[in-house]
Amino acid sequence: EKGTYPYYMLKEIDEQPAVMRNIVQKYQNEEGRLTVPEDLVTAMLAADRIHIVACGTSYHSGWVGKHYLEKFAQIPTEVHVASEFSYNPPLLTGNPFFVFLTQSGETADSRQVLVKVKEWGYPSLTITNVAGSTLSREADFTLLLHAGPEIAVASTKAYTAQIAVLAVLSDALGAKLGHDMGINMVRELGIVATAMEAVIDDKERIGELANIYLPNTRNAFYIGRGLDYYVSMEAALKLKEISYIQTEGFAAGELKHGTIALIEEGTPVLAIITQANVASHTRGNIEEVRSRGANTCVFAMEGLAHDNDQVILPAVHPALAPLLTVVPTQLMAYYATLARGYDVDKPRNLAKSVTVE
Ligand code: F6R
């Protein structure tokens, strides 16, 4: 039930800190360490390459998952759009392992790949919010998101839950390998939950920014680099699918190779800055578009923020920044859509789970 909330989407955005804490609790063992089943660890560490397969928002969390699997577990990882993989599979190595990311566990495009993978005899894991769903039943392993039912068509808490579970999984694999990645995942996910709360408590301010930057615009851009680029793709999807503002998520450095031609007086460009190694480069890209008339709005993490940035996010571990930065972008999409008078929870042409290919 959405209770006092006007829309499920806002309720589900609000639930994200609790979902983060719930995931920690569900994956914690008696000694307080985050664990996944031992046979899953063994199967994944035997792989020479991991293939993440997903659609839409789940595909976007897959990119963050690739970062974690490569950084924490040191296994080369590829991310695939399911409908592309089906008809144009990549050249596979000897021991691939497949990870299906699907909130509903019912997405036909993803299932089609799982059916093939099983025919080929390769091991698979489904990460899903729905216990007993088709992709959960058909894969060798399942990890649950523990996010509670997601009703709004636009996915919010399932995205952050997927990223958190991928972080837990990658951390567990890294621990088994004896890597000290210098991250206390239990502690850092707790810090993320608290930081999410601070952003959500300040939601009215994001509503004001949506009114300043997004009214009467036909198009918009989100830009970032690295993990901030992956969040930009998701932020753009969220904004376009419910507000119908044509939005692209772009690697900040790539704009100048063509797309910058679309920047004109007043074009909104929303930039995400949380990664120290690329922060100054993204700042440079912001200047490039600003000098061509863009209306720039900067979401930056404390420590990398400038005083006049529009949104300054509390500091969290940089690897977990996507969990936090996506929240104000979800709120931007929500408020921009409210202002346009559309049904936030039921965008046109879309269904909650896509069971046709
Ligand atoms: C966007 C959205 C969709 C889904 C996609 C995959 O907000 O919800 O892009 O992410 O249809 O759905 P699942 O994760 O259920 O396989």
Side-chain angles (χ1 to χ4, degrees), residues 55-58 101-107 110 150 153-155 162 234 237-238 241 352-354:
C55 312
T57 288
S58 298
L101 289 179
T102 170
Q103 185 280 132
S104 63
E106 302 296 341
T107 301
S110 301
E150 192 180 65
V153 164
S155 181
Q162 281 170 340
E234 170 55 14
L237 176 60
K238 212 80 326 174
E241 74 171 321
K352 183 63 186 165
S353 63
V354 185

Side-chain angles (χ1 to χ4, degrees), residues 20-33:
M20 294 299 107
R21 296 191 177 105
N22 197 35
I23 288 169
V24 168
Q25 212 197 337
K26 296 283 195 217
Y27 284 94
Q28 221 168 12
N29 67 8
E30 292 94 67
E31 291 110 63
R33 288 214 334 275

